[in-house]
Amino acid sequence: GNVTLPATSSNGEHYTILNTTNANITVARNGNNINGAGSDITVATYNAVTCIGIGSNNWIALGV
């Protein structure tokens, strides 16, 4: 399945998303930015990403 990040976040709030399936997972940004961009990210099959809140409800994604 796909994942949608919360519309609001606190600094340092984080989520780790593990993809243990044979298909890609979309992480939806819920109207905010991820890594400074206004687009969703994809977690490839058998991969993982950690999304960390950085203020203004935006996110940094590690491992993409």
Side-chain angles (χ1 to χ4, degrees):
N2 296 315
V3 176
T4 301
L5 293 169
T8 59
S9 66
S10 301
N11 283 335
E13 178 179 355
H14 67 277
Y15 300 92
T16 299
I17 299 146
L18 306 173
N19 182 356
T20 59
T21 70
N22 289 323
N24 291 339
I25 292 175
T26 297
V27 178
R29 60 192 178 85
N30 206 356
N32 300 309
N33 289 336
I34 299 175
N35 293 346
S39 56
D40 299 338
I41 58 173
T42 300
V43 182
T45 185
Y46 295 102
N47 209 331
V49 66
T50 298
C51 297
I52 304 168
I54 59 168
S56 301
N57 302 316
N58 293 311
W59 301 90
I60 287 179
L62 305 173
V64 177

